[in-house]
Amino acid sequence: MSIRPQVSYSTIPSPCFVLEENLLIKNLQLLQRVQQEAGIDIICALKGFSFYHEFPLVKQYLAGATASSLHEARLAYEEMGVKCHVYSPAYLEHEFEELASYTSHLSFNSLNQYQQYYTRAKEKGISCGVRINPEYAEVDTDMYNPCVAGSRLGIRRSDLGSHLPDGIEGLHSHTLCENDSFVLERTLSVIEEKFGDLLPQISWLNLGGGHLITRADYDVNHLIQLLKGFKSKYPNLSIIMEPGSAIGWQTGFLKSTVLDIVDSAGIQVAILDVSFAAHMPDTLEMPYKPRIRYAYHEPVEGKPTYRFGGMTCLAGDYYGDYSFDEPLKIGDEIILEDMIHYTMVKTTTFNGVNLPSIGKLNTRNEFVLYKRFGYESFKDRL
Ligand SMILES: Cc1ncc(COP(=O)(O)O)c(C=O)c1O
């Protein structure tokens, strides 16, 4: 840990989500290496990474995009210039025509959905698949586990006959969440065990997201060997992976500012110009304690220690406690780390709080502002 500089990003407005382009390029290069060495396609899941200002860059490295709604598919089509792989638990009748125009591959969540939309998708030249539920996931939090009892996501083997429905060319399986390649290895074994007889009937297998390939301890070489081995057994298959988190993983921060410091029965609470509930909901939902630059992640006896409060009136809108080498002051800059994947797509204007601006530090470390928000963003959604 180093001593906090007084102000490190004085030219950046507060609050602001800031993507660090050099870090994004590092992630994209690693994912490109996996694609090239394993001979697979990696596509960007917009649900985890919708920072569309960088889509032209993403396109230079990855094979495309995956969407779970009309709006995501349109964004990828307009900003990345690709037709998407699409999966949604259920499609909307009045959107389907437009959705199909942005789609190259489409997965159905049920046989009902297949019956309702297959013919129209086929007429548009879309390659169709079905999402399977292998009933195997190594995910601790039920909220993120697509294989929990009663899950609505995907078709169980017992509900699929020995032949896939007419025209189905692919299988889609998404059961991982921030997992490593060894979890994928065990998942692939289950897929082979339960759905192995169907694999010769298809031409693509989409292994979903949840592969945290860009995390420092991920065994990339193991992943490459695993995928090469699988491909050599099923040369008829193109393999697709669609991570979201792995693309934006540790590629930027949320800059905030201390607005006040209050003493609450001996606890020093620094109130920020951001909200955990409205701007970083995963910190409360998952939950996880966000890293703060220049702070000790856990309180250290004898050092100035603070709880950070959000600017909404929600009692639980706070996180702590963190220690610093020097006391904080009103006006100090607080940098919340790793706030690019999933954060921006999940922000709300709860309590009427404004949304953080959006910008990037380019490859020369210069700040570029993309967006500022205001009253209209609040009013528009009401
Ligand atoms: C079907 C599907 N694909 C891809 C993803 C992206 O997952 P991650 O961001 O964890 O890589 C998700 C996330 O929930 C998903 O539901």
Side-chain angles (χ1 to χ4, degrees), residues 45 47-48 87 131 172 174 176-178 208-211 242-246 342:
K47 59 174 76 65
Y87 159 77
R131 176 165 174 173
H172 180 287
H174 169 77
L176 278 71
C177 179
E178 297 197 352
H211 317 274
E242 47 176 35
S245 298
Y342 283 99

Side-chain angles (χ1 to χ4, degrees), residues 16 32 37 64 88 94 105 120-121 151 183 189 191 219 230 235 260 268 277 308 313 315 334 337:
C16 186
Q32 186 184 47
E37 293 186 20
S88 168
H94 67 276
H105 295 67
R120 271 177 282 170
S151 170
V183 176
S189 299
I191 292 177
D219 190 339
F230 192 81
D260 195 7
Q268 298 295 303
F308 286 102
C313 309
I334 297 294
E337 299 284 19

